[in-house]
Amino acid sequence: MLDGLPLADVHLHAARLPTLKLAWHDWAQGFGDTYRSVYDESGTVIPAAFDAYLAAEGVDVALLFSEYSPKATGIQAIEDMTAVAAVNPDRIKVVANVNPHLHYPVDEEVRRQLDLGAVALKIHPVHAGFAANDRAMYPAYEACQAAGVPLVVHCGTSTFPGSSNKFADPVYLDDVLRDFRRLNVVLAHGGRGWWYDAAAFMALSNERVWIELSGLPPSRLREYYARHSWARLTRRMIFATDWPGVPGIAANARAVRALCPDEATAALVLAGNAMRVYDLKGEGSA
């Protein structure tokens, strides 16, 4: 709980540091080096220290991302994430990831990671170099729809070497939403860069599309979405930080809460929407 409200952060990268490229380290240290307090000397997360950090920040549920993007950021294997989550599976959950250039068949790999406890599938077209509507990914989406778990899609620019920012365009998801009519789609980074309006339009026009706030400074949110009804759009938002790319989880959450038009909306943004979309229980608070 944070200041009387449940808090879910649905976008964190608790990766093993030796598996990542230098650009990732430069990005993370741009927000300070306090994140290293939860790592041992080998660059591996200390699960108990990470859980204690989340508790101190008021986080009831945290979703850890794996990522198979060797050209841009490196490899963050889901097995690394499950090892961290095991310390407190009520608070810490994992998210699956597949890269069609590395995994085949993609649906079998999705089901394997779901069996490991993943509560969603995240794809990263910008780093993996494919369009979200690539038919090679459709078996993965069908696996998610059948399991009732959401699809998280990186929808924002990236400065990491090897990134293909054209694949962040949410227009590619039109086909996916049309063809998978029971699939919730979460737009990670909310259209960061050139697609804020497109992301907002999709979230306001389709009850299965959600704006996820990772990597977006709260002080700029009203500006980013100025062309849309703030009262309506905030009810389609899900809190996230992109940790460690954030000054602090609690500080961001308080800033987002202050922007909400009322406490009922704040409760949805900080945890309620996430609990619904990811089918979470919110039992992780200490």
Side-chain angles (χ1 to χ4, degrees):
M1 299 281 284
L2 181 68
D3 304 334
L5 286 182
L7 178 61
D9 186 344
V10 302
H11 194 129
L12 299 94
H13 298 276
R16 290 185 60 245
L17 301 183
T19 69
L20 303 173
K21 291 197 170 184
L22 180 61
W24 190 96
H25 294 273
D26 292 342
W27 163 75
Q29 291 179 356
F31 296 90
D33 60 0
T34 56
Y35 71 95
R36 287 187 174 271
S37 66
V38 304
Y39 282 88
D40 64 19
E41 292 183 356
S42 72
T44 300
V45 171
I46 305 168
F50 185 63
D51 183 52
Y53 167 78
L54 293 172
E57 293 290 310
V59 178
D60 296 288
V61 181
L63 304 191
L64 304 190
F65 279 23
S66 56
E67 187 173 317
Y68 297 86
S69 299
K71 288 195 299 183
T73 57
I75 295 292
Q76 302 175 28
I78 192 170
E79 286 78 6
D80 293 340
M81 305 299 106
T82 56
V84 177
V87 71
N88 187 350
D90 286 336
R91 189 194 317 274
I92 306 173
K93 315 287 185 182
V94 297
V95 173
N97 179 267
V98 292
N99 181 331
H101 304 302
L102 300 177
H103 299 117
Y104 181 83
V106 290
D107 55 331
E108 290 185 7
E109 179 60 19
V110 169
R111 285 190 287 269
R112 185 187 77 85
Q113 294 186 38
L114 293 179
D115 287 343
L116 291 174
V119 299
L121 169 67
K122 186 244 185 153
I123 62 169
H124 209 315
V126 166
H127 288 172
F130 68 95
N133 63 352
D134 189 321
R135 293 309 192 265
M137 290 298 296
Y138 269 37
Y141 305 154
E142 180 58 43
C144 290
Q145 182 169 260
V149 301
L151 173 67
V152 183
V153 183
H154 178 103
C155 182
T157 51
S158 173
T159 59
F160 290 138
S163 299
S164 298
N165 282 310
K166 64 183 179 181
F167 292 130
D169 192 335
V171 72
Y172 292 113
L173 291 164
D174 269 353
D175 293 337
V176 177
L177 290 162
R178 179 198 64 206
D179 295 336
F180 298 92
R181 303 197 60 81
R182 300 188 310 279
L183 185 65
N184 273 296
V185 175
V186 179
L187 305 180
H189 312 301
R192 181 180 63 200
W194 309 309
W195 303 285
Y196 292 117
D197 285 338
F201 175 83
M202 293 178 72
L204 290 172
S205 62
N206 191 316
E207 64 180 7
R208 294 180 290 119
V209 178
W210 303 85
I211 297 287
E212 190 240 76
L213 300 178
S214 58
L216 303 181
S219 62
R220 303 289 297 277
L221 288 177
R222 295 295 296 265
E223 173 188 341
Y224 292 155
Y225 299 109
R227 289 161 56 90
H228 303 273
S229 167
W230 183 248
R232 289 183 61 212
L233 189 60
T234 47
R235 298 183 70 84
R236 308 296 305 162
M237 291 179 173
I238 296 176
F239 178 76
T241 59
D242 208 16
W243 186 93
V246 63
I249 297 175
N252 259 39
R254 289 186 174 109
V256 169
R257 181 177 183 172
L259 293 172
C260 292
D262 51 57
E263 281 294 278
T265 302
L268 289 175
V269 176
L270 295 187
N273 288 336
M275 299 299 178
R276 171 187 166 190
V277 172
Y278 294 89
D279 193 23
L280 305 173
K281 304 303 180 185
E283 302 167 345
S285 57

